[in-house]
Amino acid sequence: MSQPEPANPKSPYFELAKKHNLKIDFKQFIQIEGISAKDFRQQKINLTDFTAVVFTSKTAIDHYFRICEEMRITVPDTMKYFCITENVAFYLQKYIVYRKRKIFHGKAKFEDLIDVIVKHKEETFFVPLSDPHKTDIPELLKKHRVNFSIGTMYRTISRDFDGEDLDYDILVFYSPSGIKSLKENFPLFIQGDKKIAAFGPTTAEAVTNEGYRLDIQAPNPKAPSMTMALDCFIHDHNKNNK
C-alpha cells in the first residue's frame, strides 16, 4: 500500500488482511516537502488580500498556517474557511478556535464543495495546493466564476527507496505521483504477474500512460473503496484458482 499505515486498529485494511490471510506493507512512494516563505513570496501572492481560504486536505492546512507564521501574518478572525470534508474542517481546531469561526465543508468531493463556495461569490478565495496538483480544481472554480488565486505551499516529491525491492503480488497506488515515483525508483521494473491497483481516474490513467497494466481500479460500481475492490479481486482470484 503506497500510503502511511493506518493509526486505527479497526482500519478496513487490517480487516481485509485478516479475512484473506494477507501480509500488507505500507510504504509511501511520495513525501511532502514544504516550500520556504522566501520561495512563496516569489509567487507574488499577498495572503492578506483574501477573505476566504479553501482547504482540500489537512496537509494544506498545516502549510497554510506554517507560511503565515513564517511570514508573520496574523490570520484575521473574520477569515472564512471552506473545507473539502467535515473531517478536514475539524482539523482546523489545531490552529483556530473552531466554534468562533465561519467554517463550511463539503461531503467528499470538490464538486460538493463548489456548491457551497458559489453561495459566497462575494468572497476572495485563496486555494493552497501542492506542486504538482490536479487541474480539475482551478477549472471548476473558473467555470463557476469564483474570484480565486492558487498558491503553492508544498511539493509532492518521490521518496527514495535506496535499494528496497518490490517483492509483492499487488501494488496499490492512490495518486499519479505514486506512479511517477515507481518509475523513477524502479526504472527496470517489469510488471509480469504483479497486479497494479489504482484509486481514482487520474491514478488509473497514470498507470497506463507509464506503460503498466491496470488490474484493479477503484472506485467502481461494485466497490466504492479500494479495500472493497481488493476484496472482490482476491475473492474472484481464489475462486478461479481452486
Side-chain angles (χ1 to χ4, degrees):
M1 299 293 174
S2 59
Q3 64 176 15
E5 183 170 345
N8 184 357
K10 294 184 179 180
S11 165
Y13 289 102
F14 298 138
E15 296 295 326
L16 180 70
K18 184 178 179 181
K19 179 179 180 180
H20 294 287
N21 192 28
L22 307 175
K23 179 181 181 296
I24 299 179
D25 287 342
F26 295 89
K27 293 186 177 183
Q28 290 179 270
F29 272 65
I30 59 174
Q31 58 190 34
I32 302 299
E33 178 183 77
I35 71 166
S36 65
K38 179 182 178 181
D39 287 342
F40 181 75
R41 287 191 184 96
Q42 293 179 2
Q43 298 177 51
K44 301 185 186 305
I45 295 174
N46 185 356
L47 292 176
T48 60
D49 289 343
F50 302 96
T51 60
V53 58
V54 179
F55 290 124
T56 57
S57 67
K58 295 177 182 178
T59 300
I61 293 176
D62 284 335
H63 288 284
Y64 171 79
F65 284 98
R66 175 185 62 81
I67 289 288
C68 286
E69 182 178 358
E70 290 180 8
M71 296 179 67
R72 298 180 181 178
I73 294 173
T74 300
V75 181
D77 295 345
T78 54
M79 182 68 74
K80 294 180 180 179
Y81 302 93
F82 294 78
C83 303
I84 194 166
T85 64
E86 186 176 23
N87 188 36
V88 171
F90 282 149
Y91 188 71
L92 281 168
Q93 295 177 99
K94 182 177 178 180
Y95 298 98
I96 63 174
V97 181
Y98 192 86
R99 59 186 176 82
K100 292 186 178 181
R101 302 293 184 267
K102 293 184 178 180
I103 301 171
F104 310 87
H105 62 81
K107 296 178 181 178
K109 300 178 181 178
F110 195 78
E111 288 85 346
D112 303 324
L113 186 59
I114 277 289
D115 294 336
V116 181
I117 289 175
V118 295
K119 295 177 182 178
H120 299 266
K121 276 193 174 181
E122 72 281 1
E123 307 295 340
T124 304
F125 293 86
F126 174 67
V127 189
L129 293 176
S130 68
D131 177 26
H133 59 262
K134 298 177 182 178
T135 59
D136 56 345
I137 291 175
E139 286 174 355
L140 273 171
L141 291 168
K142 288 178 183 177
K143 179 181 177 181
H144 290 85
R145 297 181 180 178
V146 175
N147 185 5
F148 76 98
S149 292
I150 298 288
T152 299
M153 291 185 157
Y154 55 101
R155 299 185 182 94
T156 303
I157 61 175
S158 297
R159 175 187 163 228
D160 185 1
F161 277 79
D162 193 24
E164 295 181 47
D165 58 28
L166 291 178
D167 189 20
Y168 299 100
D169 297 308
I170 302 177
L171 303 174
V172 184
F173 295 93
Y174 297 85
S175 71
S177 298
I179 302 299
K180 179 184 176 184
S181 178
L182 171 64
K183 195 77 170 181
E184 290 178 353
N185 280 285
F186 305 95
L188 301 179
F189 171 72
I190 298 175
Q191 185 173 355
D193 292 332
K194 296 182 188 295
K195 311 302 181 186
I196 291 182
F199 186 84
T202 56
T203 309
E205 183 179 7
V207 172
T208 55
N209 284 348
E210 290 293 354
Y212 301 126
R213 184 186 67 252
L214 179 62
D215 301 290
I216 307 165
Q217 184 173 359
N220 63 59
K222 293 183 178 180
S225 69
M226 178 54 76
T227 50
M228 292 178 69
L230 290 169
D231 186 27
C232 291
F233 178 85
I234 294 168
H235 177 271
D236 292 342
H237 176 79
N238 292 339
K239 182 179 179 182
N240 294 332
N241 287 276
K242 280 186 176 181

